[in-house]
Amino acid sequence: MRVILAEDSTLLREGLVRLLVEEGHEVVAAVGDGDALVEAVRASPPDAVVVDVRMPPTHTDEGLRATLEIRRLFPSVGVLVLSQYVEKRYAAELITHDADGIGYLLKDRVAQVGEFLEALDRVGAGGAAFDPEVVRQLLSRTSHTSPLGRLTARERDVLDQMAQGFTNASIADRMHVSQSAVEKHINAIFDKLELSHQPGYSRRVLAVLRYLGS
């Protein structure tokens, strides 16, 4: 996979470059700010970018703004956002634009190399990958009166896995149940969230958006 990195910490940036190269990826560019990231993507669009949220000059949301610009110019480029903390507004903004090819991981997750590489692969292939802690904190905003309150604990577990970007087969494997059982839970989720079939819309995406945005 062709990857561009944007991380202002030289130590972490160089470490990620070494890791990705050792895993067989081609690192097209490694930059230290959002403007340089956008320019690098314009010059040679990769399969995916890995980007820090806070970078120079203000260390606020440069990475997010660069991400949204890249998604506007090159919607097929996957974006894996790294952040030191769970920044709910940024995560929700990314998801509500289009969750396909988007990931959001806490930087601590990078140390768990297998999970980091798996998330990058999923994002590069057009899937989604959200840190379980990000999902948990977004969930904490859920009101008890929300339609989500109708879900059973098992159904919420399934929806949590959906929000992290896992397929039905992966969810079944992780929860040690059959795929048909997962599909049954998902159909119950759609019914309880009153998500009827609507041409042109994915009920799975609508369920995840309602889950994370409630």
Side-chain angles (χ1 to χ4, degrees):
M1 184 188 307
R2 300 176 75 252
V3 181
I4 292 179
L5 296 172
E7 166 60 56
D8 62 308
S9 165
T10 303
L11 188 61
L12 179 56
R13 186 170 68 240
E14 293 304 316
L16 287 171
V17 169
R18 179 173 297 184
L19 170 65
L20 292 174
V21 170
E22 288 178 350
E23 292 296 325
H25 297 296
E26 177 187 355
V27 179
V28 181
V31 299
D33 63 71
D35 290 342
L37 171 61
V38 174
E39 287 306 309
V41 172
R42 284 181 187 273
S44 182
D47 298 306
V49 301
V50 178
V51 53
D52 188 10
V53 169
R54 300 182 179 186
M55 290 188 290
T58 69
H59 294 278
T60 54
D61 61 355
E62 288 81 358
L64 176 70
R65 286 189 279 113
T67 294
L68 296 176
E69 179 69 0
I70 291 167
R71 295 290 289 179
R72 184 180 70 80
L73 296 173
F74 303 96
S76 64
V77 173
V79 176
L80 181 58
V81 175
L82 300 180
S83 179
Q84 192 71 40
Y85 309 101
V86 178
E87 303 185 69
K88 295 180 181 179
R89 181 171 65 85
Y90 295 157
E93 187 168 352
L94 283 171
I95 293 168
T96 52
H97 271 73
D98 183 357
D100 291 341
I102 285 287
Y104 189 114
L105 294 185
L106 294 181
K107 284 188 173 178
D108 289 347
R109 198 70 59 183
V110 175
Q112 300 174 38
V113 175
E115 292 186 21
F116 168 67
L117 294 173
E118 181 192 5
L120 181 59
D121 286 342
R122 260 192 285 156
V123 167
F130 286 88
D131 194 294
E133 181 60 20
V134 174
V135 175
R136 189 189 69 75
Q137 292 203 25
L138 288 172
L139 270 178
S140 67
R141 301 160 60 195
T142 302
S143 164
H144 292 300
T145 60
S146 161
L148 294 169
R150 303 170 190 164
L151 304 184
T152 66
R154 198 62 165 172
E155 290 163 355
R156 291 179 69 90
D157 288 342
V158 170
L159 189 48
D160 179 273
Q161 300 283 316
M162 290 166 60
Q164 293 179 51
F166 291 107
T167 64
N168 290 2
S170 295
I171 294 171
D173 185 57
R174 294 169 66 88
M175 296 181 69
H176 307 293
V177 298
S178 68
Q179 189 167 330
S180 63
V182 171
E183 291 167 355
K184 182 179 177 181
H185 286 310
I186 291 175
N187 285 328
I189 291 168
F190 291 157
D191 289 341
K192 291 182 180 179
L193 298 185
E194 300 176 349
L195 295 173
S196 58
H197 285 288
Q198 300 180 51
Y201 292 92
S202 164
R203 289 196 296 174
R204 191 182 189 92
V205 172
L206 292 175
V208 169
L209 290 176
R210 185 171 296 182
Y211 184 53
L212 298 178
S214 63

